[in-house]
Amino acid sequence: MLDFRARSTTKQSTDNFSGRRKFLVIFMMVCMLLLTGRAIDLQVVSKQFLKHQGDMRQVDEVSVSAYRGMITDRNGDPLAISTPVESIWINPRELKFAKEDQLRLMEKLLHLPIGKVTEWIKEDSHRQFLYIARRVNPQLGTQVKELKLEGVYFEREFKRFYPSGGVSAHLVGFTNVDDIGQAGMESGYEQLLKGISGSKRVIRDGQRRIIADIENIQEPVSGKTLELSIDQRIQYLAYRELQLAVSANKAKSGALVVLDAKNGEVLAAVSQPSFNPNTRSNLKESLYRNRAVTDVFEPGSTVKPFVVAAALDGGYISPNAIFATHGTYQIGRNTVKDTHNYGTMDLTHVIKKSSNIGVTMMSLKMPPKYFWGIYHQLGFGVSAGSGFPGEASGTLLGYKKWHDFDRAILSFGYGLSSSTLQLARAYTALADDGILHSVSLLKREEDDDAVRIFSAKTAKSVRKMMETVIMKDGTAYEARVDGYSAAGKTGTAKKAGSRGYTEKSYFAVFAGMAPASDPRLIIVVMIDEPSAGQYYGGLVSAPVFSKVMAGALRILGVAPDQEGTMPVLLTQKSQ
């Protein structure tokens, strides 16, 4: 009985095992059939689809470029704007199958050397991304798209464009290929202008190509508009006249600044030589350096009105003071000279004839600390604080190291250095009745940092003296402005070399204001190394002052205060 049951159990187990084995065999055969069918589908039915779509897709997050903020002049005229453009990149792995004639045509459209794309394909065959052209105009991008080359892709970016070209180039600056500010206000205000990039989710195929947008994650935030203080009309006038003067005088370079005498706004700042920021191939640093703000020079006799004002305001000389000059003045072993022997002179004639001896005598009457303090308050040796990248501070030696001859040369503009902008700023203390203004390259209504340096009486008195400089027997008759009274001072400073001051290289400078009765504008002109024959500030720089001042006052609608000197009126009276 027991044996029969054991044999029955064994037989049943064997039958069950045999059934399971048959089931597994059938199951495996079905799987093989399914796999074979899938292989046929992959190799035959879906081959073309996979060729174009890749063998897998994935969701990715990509950056969305932000629009860079505009830079405008004070009237809203654009100085720097961004426009949508195409950037073109290739996948060398895919592009290697392209036809040779199509590659040549693309190279021609993009102005690439013949065979350059083929060279990139061979050298970078392992890469899947390579830019071949950045920021091309949309029309050119469309022409390349029409070639329908597999492995060529397009990306929207922004390109910076400068409508005024070289006129405002030194001030505005420029960006690089990645739209990052590299010079000028573009660099100094990068954080304000650049905006914040956004992001979005996209679907990429197996070749990392974007084939569809899914959703915006974060919208890009456009950069803010930067409104400058300059008036592009005055900027153009200043640029044109300085360019003509530098060329006519065969000068090395030049700079010019126009300031609003009432609040310190920079209405124009130009330099020569200039450059076009829209086409910057082979650009040298010497061309895009803003000489009006970053370069310094010894201001020469343009500082003499400050010496007179300081001596008067401090009570170290009287308004009726007389100076016996006699052509030379001895200070120890050193001799101070005038161009001519002017004999005995009053304050007005010291300024009018630009007497080195006269201002030397005044400087020696003032304590060094006081004299230094006036120069320092006027901004010499201190950055003007305009916010421009690389702005110069100039130099002013500490008074504790001064000797008598140091005071002498400082009184006629040697032994210290200044930028064109710094000198223009210092002149606000004479133009605005003793009030020194800070300077601003951004539009503003008022100057919250203005400080008094001289009394109003002293400033007006010195300004009246400076009007005589522009008379026929003064040093700058060429600075006269038709229809307006003007006041100013010439400066002709020898340039320092490795072996001391040179005899043939000069800075020709003129600084002035108009209308002299109530100054609205200050203009400083500096021309470096004029070599066409003339080198005096009154002959080289003063005519530039005259033309720019006349045009700028009319642009701003400032009423003439001396209509009797206007050419049209003079012609009518003579008829």
Side-chain angles (χ1 to χ4, degrees), residues 66-338:
Y67 179 83
R68 189 174 179 86
M70 288 178 60
I71 300 178
T72 72
D73 81 338
R74 65 185 304 106
N75 301 311
D77 291 334
L79 302 176
I81 56 178
S82 293
T83 57
V85 290
E86 297 274 16
S87 284
I88 304 173
W89 60 277
I90 61 173
N91 183 333
R93 290 185 180 181
E94 298 176 14
L95 195 58
K96 64 183 179 181
F97 300 110
K99 294 180 180 179
E100 195 72 17
D101 59 339
Q102 286 185 303
L103 294 180
R104 297 296 85 81
L105 183 54
M106 182 172 68
E107 289 168 343
K108 183 178 180 181
L109 287 171
L110 297 176
H111 301 289
L112 296 172
I114 299 300
K116 188 64 178 177
V117 174
T118 302
E119 180 183 322
W120 282 332
I121 292 171
K122 291 179 180 178
E123 291 179 353
D124 299 286
S125 59
H126 62 288
R127 296 176 61 180
Q128 296 187 48
F129 182 93
L130 178 66
Y131 276 120
I132 62 169
R134 297 290 299 273
R135 298 180 180 177
V136 302
N137 65 67
Q139 183 180 3
L140 180 55
T142 299
Q143 289 178 290
V144 177
K145 285 179 183 177
E146 289 174 350
L147 297 177
K148 297 181 180 179
L149 281 166
E150 187 173 350
V152 177
Y153 302 98
F154 301 84
E155 178 181 328
R156 195 186 83 155
E157 292 188 294
F158 292 101
K159 182 179 181 179
R160 208 64 163 161
F161 177 63
Y162 302 93
S164 61
V167 174
S168 303
H170 292 105
L171 186 59
V172 175
F174 53 87
T175 60
N176 63 9
V177 71
D178 294 313
D179 220 20
I180 299 172
Q182 299 298 293
M185 302 299 275
E186 288 275 34
S187 173
Y189 288 84
E190 170 67 19
Q191 295 303 313
L192 179 83
L193 292 164
K194 72 175 184 177
I196 302 173
S197 296
S199 60
K200 64 181 180 180
R201 285 195 179 89
V202 298
I203 297 176
R204 293 185 186 272
D205 64 14
Q207 300 297 323
R208 299 285 299 163
R209 295 172 296 193
I210 296 175
I211 58 176
D213 291 346
I214 300 177
E215 63 174 333
N216 288 327
I217 301 173
Q218 182 178 343
E219 291 290 340
V221 179
S222 297
K224 295 181 180 179
T225 296
L226 184 67
E227 187 177 32
L228 302 187
S229 59
I230 69 166
D231 187 315
Q232 187 63 7
R233 299 168 299 175
I234 300 175
Q235 179 81 3
Y236 172 75
L237 173 64
Y239 174 87
R240 183 188 67 193
E241 295 301 334
L242 182 65
Q243 185 181 50
L244 290 171
V246 168
S247 176
N249 289 283
K250 298 180 180 179
K252 181 179 178 181
S253 62
L256 186 155
V257 168
V258 181
L259 281 190
D260 187 318
K262 302 299 183 183
N263 68 1
E265 283 183 313
V266 180
L267 299 181
V270 294
S271 302
Q272 285 292 331
S274 189
F275 68 99
N276 186 346
N278 295 304
T279 55
R280 299 192 302 274
S281 57
N282 301 318
L283 180 61
K284 298 178 181 178
E285 188 274 338
S286 60
L287 290 178
Y288 66 78
R289 192 169 74 242
N290 189 341
R291 300 173 189 275
V293 183
T294 64
D295 286 17
V296 296
F297 56 92
E298 289 180 302
S301 296
T302 57
V303 301
K304 288 176 180 176
F306 302 131
V307 179
V308 175
L312 277 172
D313 230 37
Y316 297 101
I317 60 171
S318 71
N320 300 317
I322 298 295
F323 302 89
T325 60
H326 304 304
T328 61
Y329 185 75
Q330 203 69 27
I331 302 178
R333 297 180 180 180
N334 300 293
T335 303
V336 177
K337 297 180 180 180
D338 279 339

Side-chain angles (χ1 to χ4, degrees), residues 32 41 46 52 116 119 125 174 249 256 359 420 426 475 493 541:
M32 288 297 293
D41 178 70
S46 301
H52 294 287
K116 188 64 178 177
E119 180 183 322
S125 59
F174 53 87
N249 289 283
L256 186 155
V359 292
T420 307
T475 58
S541 297

Side-chain angles (χ1 to χ4, degrees), residues 304-381:
K304 288 176 180 176
F306 302 131
V307 179
V308 175
L312 277 172
D313 230 37
Y316 297 101
I317 60 171
S318 71
N320 300 317
I322 298 295
F323 302 89
T325 60
H326 304 304
T328 61
Y329 185 75
Q330 203 69 27
I331 302 178
R333 297 180 180 180
N334 300 293
T335 303
V336 177
K337 297 180 180 180
D338 279 339
T339 306
H340 303 286
N341 183 349
Y342 297 117
T344 301
M345 310 175 74
D346 61 12
L347 286 175
T348 296
H349 280 82
V350 168
I351 293 294
K352 184 176 183 178
K353 296 299 183 180
S354 195
S355 171
N356 291 339
I357 296 173
V359 292
T360 291
M361 291 177 172
M362 293 181 218
S363 70
L364 294 177
K365 290 179 180 291
M366 293 183 283
K369 184 177 181 179
Y370 171 79
F371 185 16
W372 177 89
I374 293 295
Y375 270 12
H376 180 70
Q377 289 178 66
L378 288 168
F380 293 111

Side-chain angles (χ1 to χ4, degrees), residues 18-34:
S18 177
R20 286 196 299 271
R21 186 171 62 180
K22 289 178 181 180
F23 175 79
L24 288 173
V25 170
I26 293 171
F27 178 77
M28 290 178 66
M29 290 178 67
V30 171
C31 288
M32 288 297 293
L33 288 172
L34 290 174

